[in-house]
Structures are given as C-alpha cells and as structure tokens.
Amino acid sequence: MMFTTSFWILAIWLIVNGIWTCFATHNQSLMKWFAWINVIAIVWGFWAFYGAASVTALSGWFMTVNWVNVILAICQFYLGYRKSGHIAQQH
C-alpha cells in the first residue's frame, strides 16, 4: 500500500513540478524552493522504493520517476542558483 501510494504521489508531483519548471525558468526564487522540495521528494522516493514492499508492476516506473526527479532537481538548482546578467568578456 505504501509503495503504490508513494508512487502515485511522486508521479503527480513530477508532472506538476516538471510543467511548472518549463514555464517558470526565470523565477529563481521559486525555482530554489521547488528544487529543495524536490530533494525531499527524491529522498522519500528512494526510501519508499527500497524500504517498502514493492509492487512488481510499478517497480520500473517507480525507479524511473525517482531518477527523472533527480534530473529535474539538478536543472532546478542550476536555474535557481545561476548568476543573473550577461557573461563578462575577457580582454
């Protein structure tokens, strides 16, 4: 039960978070918040995957959701903590 519930919560989070990230790439403050929330989701996802009794039909999808969340968090951290402005030219 925990495995299946965790999977669906994380899958819905991934969809909402992924869509939001695509449309709000210039809002660094919110990008930082969602990146850190995503870290919590990643820890929870891997904990549920390895700690709960798995459901065979969802195992592959669950691991895919976890790793896509990792990639999304990396992108969010990059977009959230990058320096604003133009790149200085060296002379």
Side-chain angles (χ1 to χ4, degrees):
M1 178 73 175
M2 182 181 146
F3 188 87
T4 305
T5 303
S6 294
F7 169 78
W8 286 110
I9 290 170
L10 291 171
I12 291 168
W13 165 251
L14 174 64
I15 292 167
V16 170
N17 194 19
I19 291 169
W20 179 86
T21 299
C22 291
F23 290 107
T25 56
H26 297 295
N27 189 337
Q28 287 185 298
S29 178
L30 286 176
M31 195 67 67
K32 291 175 189 177
W33 273 101
F34 275 91
W36 284 109
I37 293 169
N38 212 13
V39 168
I40 295 167
I42 291 165
V43 170
W44 174 27
F46 281 106
W47 175 78
F49 183 81
Y50 290 110
S54 66
V55 175
T56 306
L58 291 178
S59 290
W61 286 107
F62 202 138
M63 188 54 75
T64 301
V65 166
N66 285 339
W67 282 109
V68 172
N69 268 331
V70 169
I71 294 167
L72 185 59
I74 290 168
C75 293
Q76 289 170 329
F77 277 114
Y78 171 75
L79 293 170
Y81 287 96
R82 69 181 172 182
K83 299 287 183 196
S84 299
H86 300 292
I87 299 173
Q89 293 182 349
Q90 302 224 358
H91 295 281

